[in-house]
Structure formats: C-alpha cells, structure tokens
Amino acid sequence: MILLEGEIFNNKLTKEINLKETQIELKGIPSRSGLKSVIFYIRLKNKKDYYTINPLNTFSDQQIIEIFTEFKNLKGEKIIMDEKIDLLRIQEKIEKCQ
C-alpha cells in the first residue's frame, strides 16, 4: 500500500492506494524560459483515479527522482527507455540550473 497525504482545495487528504494496481509516470510542465523553469511532477494512476505529486513545485527535482525510483524498486519494475530520458532531463536541470 501507498499512503498519500496532502491537501486538495485546502482540505486534508489521506488516501491509501494499492501499489500493485498503481502505475507511475514522470511528466514536465514546459516553459518558454527553458529547462530551468520546467516543473517536473509525478502522476500516479490507480484504476479510475489519478493523483498528481508536485504540480506546485513543492518537491525538489532530486526528491522527484528519488520518489520515482523508489516506487519502481518497490514494485519490482525496470525503468524503461522513455523514463530514463525523463530522468536524464531532470538530472540535467539539477546540474545546470541549481
């Protein structure tokens, strides 16, 4: 199980979701200002529901990488090529812009 805690419209949210039934995706909100202004976030999809982690840039880019890789490790999934490219983009932003 994954325990999600946060806020939706200033109301506390606590939700348990099944790890095995959940898919994870790395996403980025592009910016005209270049890579340094891109906000990377995680989307968790579980059956008909989805949850977005970091849409307001509350986590650091390094934390996003750690959450993503830990999720994949716990689920026993390998990181596919498209995900590796996204991880490399985040790492590039960390190295060049912070």
Side-chain angles (χ1 to χ4, degrees):
M1 291 300 237
I2 301 171
L3 178 63
L4 299 175
E5 293 182 343
E7 291 186 10
I8 296 179
F9 303 112
N10 295 325
N11 293 318
K12 290 220 175 234
L13 165 75
T14 302
K15 183 90 173 176
E16 282 189 8
I17 58 176
N18 188 321
L19 177 68
K20 291 182 181 182
E21 297 174 355
T22 304
Q23 300 297 318
I24 190 169
E25 296 177 349
L26 275 175
K27 301 279 189 177
I29 300 171
S31 170
R32 292 183 180 174
S33 301
L35 184 61
K36 74 176 188 171
S37 298
V38 174
I39 298 173
F40 291 98
Y41 65 95
I42 292 173
R43 175 159 292 162
L44 297 174
K45 291 183 179 181
N46 182 277
K47 294 184 181 178
K48 63 182 177 185
D49 296 326
Y50 69 90
Y51 306 93
T52 304
I53 299 172
N54 203 42
L56 301 175
N57 207 23
T58 51
F59 290 95
S60 72
D61 294 323
Q62 186 61 43
Q63 289 172 314
I64 292 297
I65 291 172
E66 290 169 6
I67 292 168
F68 183 82
T69 54
E70 184 65 20
F71 180 94
K72 288 290 205 173
N73 288 337
L74 289 173
K75 197 163 177 189
E77 293 181 349
K78 291 186 178 189
I79 297 174
I80 62 173
M81 185 57 73
D82 290 344
E83 295 167 341
K84 286 181 183 179
I85 292 169
D86 290 334
L87 289 170
L88 287 172
R89 284 185 62 222
I90 298 171
Q91 192 62 43
E92 178 184 9
K93 178 183 174 190
I94 292 169
E95 291 170 3
K96 288 185 176 179
C97 304
Q98 293 180 353

